Amino acid sequence: MDQTKPRVGIIGSGAMGTLFGFHLASRCEVTMLDSNPAVLDGIVQNGGVTVNEAMPRSVRVGRHSRDLFGSNMVFLFVKAVDTLRALRPFAGELSPSTPIVSLQNGVGNEDAIKTALGGAVPVVLGITTESSLTIAPGRVRSSEEGNTIIGSGGASPSTSRSVAELLTQSGMRASVVYDIRPHLWGKLVANAAINAVSALLDCESGDILKDANAARLAEALAEEAASVAAALKVNLPFANPWQYVTEVIAVGADSKSSMAFDLESGHQSEIDHINGAVAAAGRRTGVATPYNDAMVRLVKAKEAMSASKRSIPAG
């Protein structure tokens, strides 16, 4: 191990973990941790992690939480529903000064991280428009045209700046904002409008704009989420929610939402952390969210029916 390089741990070695791991490996000692041994075996067989046609960059694979205990910084790339499970083994083991960086979907990730590790843990929150698609373990395809916005979830301003600087030095675009909450809610508006619609229709994000009914539904979901943000006195980083959503769709028009892949694979979706979070905040603020409520029920029904079918023996 090169003691002169920052030691970065990455929890979750899927598409986004691999993308960020590849870039960070240009300047850091990166250790990738994943609950799926086959993913880690694939990274080893691939000779590291790679993006598009680039040569693989060497990373360590962590098969136990203790393999990340010496990290100077830990990036969290698991689904929001898995945050507590992924972080509980680190309680009392990580240095209390080690920042946890969450670029996860939804809101409430800060609370989950602090529930797992304690309220004093320095949390760095952010959003990213980077997109990545897994080709094989350790190999992803990406446009590499995204941007990451970083802010504090309890970490010091200097810690947030150090995370952004490390990403920038690693060849990614990153910036720091004083208040990350408007950006978290801005991403939530887009996710609430796109993810469940793409999942239930089993379509690419760009197809939503091609169908009048799908587009109108997505617009209604975005408008509800924006109304809840306004009730919370969150100043969204855009004036027109639907225009923003269409811009987000344009960036990833040829890909399905992560929720669509969850429904396909039988994994638990992040619906509670996206449309469910909008609905919950709506109840607290007195804002009606019938469209988001409906999407939560539909996705949960789809999950339950799919699980029931998988449990029925063939033949």
Side-chain angles (χ1 to χ4, degrees):
M1 179 181 292
D2 187 343
Q3 298 295 332
T4 65
K5 291 184 176 182
R7 297 189 300 278
V8 173
I10 294 182
I11 304 175
S13 302
M16 294 301 289
T18 297
L19 175 65
F20 276 74
F22 172 79
H23 284 284
L24 289 165
S26 66
R27 298 189 60 86
C28 308
E29 292 282 355
V30 173
T31 301
M32 312 279 293
L33 179 69
D34 200 274
S35 60
N36 186 346
V39 170
L40 300 176
D41 292 342
I43 291 173
V44 173
Q45 294 165 8
N46 190 52
V49 291
T50 186
V51 176
N52 298 331
E53 304 304 319
M55 290 292 294
R57 289 178 179 167
S58 178
V59 297
R60 295 171 177 267
V61 296
R63 299 184 185 273
H64 306 280
S65 56
R66 62 176 175 269
D67 296 327
L68 266 61
F69 288 170
S71 300
N72 302 122
M73 184 182 299
V74 174
F75 282 79
L76 190 58
F77 284 111
V78 298
K79 295 291 179 66
V81 295
D82 294 323
T83 296
L84 285 173
R85 175 196 56 78
L87 288 181
R88 276 179 175 143
F90 293 88
E93 300 292 349
L94 282 176
S95 166
S97 63
T98 301
I100 306 297
V101 185
S102 166
L103 302 178
Q104 298 162 284
N105 286 335
V107 294
N109 294 304
E110 177 185 354
D111 291 339
I113 293 168
K114 291 181 176 179
T115 296
L117 300 179
V121 62
V123 177
V124 176
L125 300 172
I127 66 164
T128 184
T129 57
E130 297 283 358
S131 62
S132 188
L133 178 66
T134 298
I135 305 302
R139 298 174 54 202
V140 298
R141 184 169 67 240
S142 173
S143 64
E144 297 190 88
E145 295 178 352
N147 180 54
T148 300
I149 300 175
I150 296 292
S152 173
S156 67
S158 61
T159 298
S160 298
R161 286 195 299 271
S162 69
V163 173
E165 287 169 1
L166 188 58
L167 291 174
T168 301
Q169 293 164 2
S170 301
M172 307 184 85
R173 285 177 283 276
S175 57
V176 180
V177 293
Y178 173 74
D179 185 3
I180 192 63
R181 197 164 68 136
H183 299 276
L184 294 177
W185 266 89
K187 183 178 181 182
L188 184 62
V189 168
N191 284 341
I194 299 168
N195 289 24
V197 177
S198 169
L200 290 170
L201 295 178
D202 191 25
C203 70
E204 295 176 345
S205 297
D207 292 332
I208 294 172
L209 300 182
K210 298 175 184 177
D211 182 89
N213 289 305
R216 182 64 192 98
L217 174 58
E219 183 177 5
L221 290 164
E223 289 172 348
E224 279 186 0
S227 295
V228 173
L232 291 170
K233 301 191 185 317
V234 174
N235 294 317
L236 294 171
F238 44 77
N240 186 318
W242 179 235
Q243 180 180 340
Y244 175 72
V245 169
T246 61
E247 292 169 357
V248 172
I249 288 176
V251 172
D254 296 332
S255 62
K256 292 181 180 179
S257 68
S258 59
M259 195 175 293
F261 288 114
D262 288 336
L263 293 189
E264 284 180 8
S265 62
H267 290 126
Q268 184 180 0
S269 77
E270 295 179 301
I271 191 68
D272 283 331
H273 297 266
I274 299 177
N275 301 83
V278 172
R283 289 191 293 272
R284 293 195 303 270
T285 55
V287 176
T289 58
Y291 286 99
N292 281 276
D293 289 334
M295 298 308 283
V296 173
R297 293 185 181 278
L298 285 167
V299 170
K300 291 196 171 205
K302 180 71 171 178
E303 288 176 331
M305 291 179 182
S306 297
S308 178
K309 290 177 181 178
R310 285 193 299 273
S311 67
I312 298 173

